[in-house]
Amino acid sequence: MESMKTERIVVLEATMDDADGKTLAYTVERLLAEGALDAYLVPAVMKKGRPGHTLTALTKPEDAERLAHVMFEETPTLGVRITETKRFVLPRRIVTVRTPYGAVRVKVTALGAEPEYEDCAALARKNKVALRKVIGGARRARNQF
């Protein structure tokens, strides 16, 4: 695909069996707020069969050390693995569409468009309607792109 580009990123990863779910969920939120490109948790089976989690953050190389510090600060991990890699990305632009529930930002790429979840969720709460109704309205409005 000719519109695809590659960019360098860093993958930060820590696996732990001694962090509770609330702490890990907060850490994911904080990593995203601090500029991680993405952050997520995956269940893991640790040594001796103990349940645990792998915390992963994708970041720009210049943010890696700062975000690793967040992982150390917020979790009991004693180590954060660092992998430098590349990823394919589609160029995108953000447009705002009007729905019956309010304005929603939509990411538009060469392959399509997708409403921003946070905008849709906020409007669903505000209008006291199902999230899927707001998303549906945004998807209908996006067809103009």
Side-chain angles (χ1 to χ4, degrees):
M1 174 178 303
E2 65 185 71
S3 63
M4 263 190 331
K5 304 221 182 315
T6 60
E7 66 182 18
R8 287 182 45 236
I9 63 167
V10 172
V11 179
L12 301 174
E13 193 173 68
T15 307
M16 59 203 99
D17 61 6
D18 53 354
D20 66 86
K22 292 175 190 171
T23 296
L24 292 171
Y26 178 83
T27 303
V28 168
E29 288 177 20
R30 180 157 176 222
L31 288 164
L32 292 168
E34 295 275 345
L37 301 169
D38 199 359
Y40 53 90
L41 293 166
V42 176
V45 177
M46 308 291 290
K47 63 185 171 190
K48 300 180 185 177
R50 293 188 299 246
H53 292 87
T54 299
L55 171 63
T56 303
L58 307 181
T59 180
K60 296 176 184 172
E62 61 268 22
D63 295 333
E65 187 173 332
R66 182 174 53 80
L67 292 176
H69 181 74
V70 169
M71 292 170 81
F72 282 121
E73 185 176 64
E74 295 291 353
T75 73
T77 192
L78 300 175
V80 175
R81 291 179 295 284
I82 305 162
T83 305
E84 294 182 20
T85 190
K86 292 181 191 176
R87 71 175 183 168
F88 290 110
V89 293
L90 290 172
R92 68 199 81 169
R93 61 188 171 96
I94 305 290
V95 299
T96 301
V97 299
R98 295 272 170 220
T99 75
Y101 308 103
V104 175
R105 291 172 297 161
V106 176
K107 284 183 195 164
V108 180
T109 71
L111 297 178
E114 191 61 31
E116 286 289 340
Y117 165 79
E118 291 296 336
D119 291 0
C120 293
L123 288 173
R125 286 185 206 99
K126 178 181 174 186
N127 291 285
K128 295 181 174 48
V129 297
L131 174 62
R132 64 190 179 100
K133 287 187 176 187
V134 178
I135 291 172
R139 287 183 173 151
R140 284 187 294 282
R142 77 173 183 199
N143 288 334
Q144 60 191 319
F145 301 103

